[in-house]
Amino acid sequence: MRITLALACAVFCLVFFTPAVAGQERADFRALDREPPRSGAPDPALKAQPRGALLPTAGGVLAHVAAGGPWRTRIVLFNSDPDVTAEGTLTFYRSTGETLRLTLTNGRKTVNASSFSISLPPRNTMFLETVDQTAATEVGYADLKSEAGKLTGYGIFRAVVPGAPNLEAVVPLEWGVSDEVLLAYDNTGGFVTSVAVANRWLLLPFDLRAEVYTEDGAFLASYHRPLAGGTHTAFETPREWPATAGRRGMVRLSRIGSIGGFAALALLFNPTGSVTTAPVIDLP
């Protein structure tokens, strides 16, 4: 039995993440039972940083998480600082902006919470993975705030279906302050491209504009959707942007307005059942 493209895409758009955590002997995590502070306006210094690096120097946003059902999410965190212990907070949010309570394990202990305090000594690594808790998949996004050291990482989405190979895709953490990105889509020959967008900034709602082009550069259509502060959306591109159906090409995603920012990721589902990351290019 093989996992089908239809199942993979349906699960992606419906849900995505159950936390589990694994780490170094000295690197522990502590659950926070209080409501975490929410982000306000983006720090202007973030926009001034070089944009060419794949990963932010510290912290970041995973624009989509899924837990429950066939999906597991692993978050790999590391502290590249040779001298300073990294401290940070990893918090999960629902698509509607409320906190999302999940169960994480680090291989030695398991904790259920919506926000986790992370401590990593110099050059240590921590592996966090979601634990099955419901038959249905829950989706949202994750926000990693770095308070000391150089704490960053990436996410791994994994679908576990009996009798079939695991389906996996790796996605880096993003700054969450993009105002314009490019992504390629391929919805031909049974392929389906899915996209997730997160607005981590509670006080800064905005309209998201998508301009769709063919692979030959011809403009097809423009779509708009409001994205309230602190919320998230995930969808198959042929449904959200009908002009992409049966085609391949490029989409320019941008924020309408002068303030705010977003994090985005894309996955390409293969008709044979595999999935891979479709890079999102942040424009300066």
Side-chain angles (χ1 to χ4, degrees):
M1 172 183 174
R2 296 181 61 83
I3 183 170
T4 66
L5 174 68
L7 172 60
C9 293
V11 171
F12 173 84
C13 295
L14 289 176
V15 287
F16 222 170
F17 197 51
T18 306
V21 186
Q24 300 292 327
E25 194 61 33
R26 294 180 298 151
D28 203 0
F29 71 101
R30 303 175 297 280
L32 300 179
D33 293 325
R34 57 180 173 80
E35 181 75 9
R38 302 302 302 274
S39 299
D43 183 349
L46 290 175
K47 296 292 284 184
Q49 292 183 13
R51 310 298 288 279
L54 179 64
L55 296 174
T57 55
V61 178
L62 185 59
H64 194 68
V65 296
W71 287 102
R72 319 280 190 273
T73 300
R74 170 174 285 194
I75 296 180
V76 180
L77 302 176
F78 46 87
N79 175 17
S80 61
D81 196 300
D83 303 307
V84 179
T85 294
E87 303 284 346
T89 303
L90 177 65
T91 306
F92 299 95
Y93 296 98
R94 298 182 183 277
S95 295
T96 51
E98 295 89 356
T99 54
L100 173 61
R101 197 172 185 91
L102 294 172
T103 303
L104 294 177
T105 181
N106 66 355
R108 300 186 308 278
K109 71 175 183 178
T110 300
V111 179
N112 180 268
S114 60
S115 187
F116 301 84
S117 181
I118 307 296
S119 180
L120 275 175
R123 292 175 175 163
N124 270 227
T125 307
M126 180 180 288
F127 298 86
L128 315 177
E129 188 171 325
T130 62
V131 175
D132 286 338
Q133 56 186 14
T134 61
T137 307
E138 295 186 281
V139 295
Y141 69 97
D143 186 6
L144 175 66
K145 286 185 171 56
S146 178
E147 294 138 18
K150 297 180 180 179
L151 182 64
T152 187
Y154 58 91
I156 302 174
F157 302 134
R158 176 182 298 142
V160 179
V161 177
N166 288 351
L167 178 156
E168 289 188 338
V170 177
V171 180
L173 296 179
E174 304 289 346
W175 279 280
V177 293
S178 296
D179 52 21
E180 183 179 20
V181 301
L182 296 178
L183 62 94
Y185 68 90
D186 185 354
N187 296 323
T188 64
F191 285 88
V192 175
T193 304
S194 291
V195 171
V197 181
N199 176 11
R200 72 185 292 195
W201 309 105
L202 180 64
L203 304 179
L204 298 175
F206 62 85
D207 284 341
L208 187 68
R209 175 171 56 199
E211 298 174 3
V212 179
Y213 297 85
T214 68
E215 60 184 312
D216 297 320
F219 174 76
L220 290 175
S222 180
Y223 302 95
H224 299 76
R225 91 143 42 207
L227 201 61
T231 66
H232 151 276
T233 182
F235 49 82
E236 297 175 20
T237 53
R239 297 186 181 184
E240 181 78 4
W241 307 323
T244 67
R247 292 188 172 98
R248 59 188 182 186
M250 179 185 72
V251 175
R252 175 179 175 266
L253 269 182
S254 60
R255 179 204 68 219
I256 300 176
S258 59
I259 58 174
F262 60 88
L265 64 82
L267 296 178
L268 178 64
F269 289 88
N270 189 299
T272 64
S274 64
V275 62
T276 189
T277 305
V280 174
I281 308 302
D282 190 13
L283 297 179

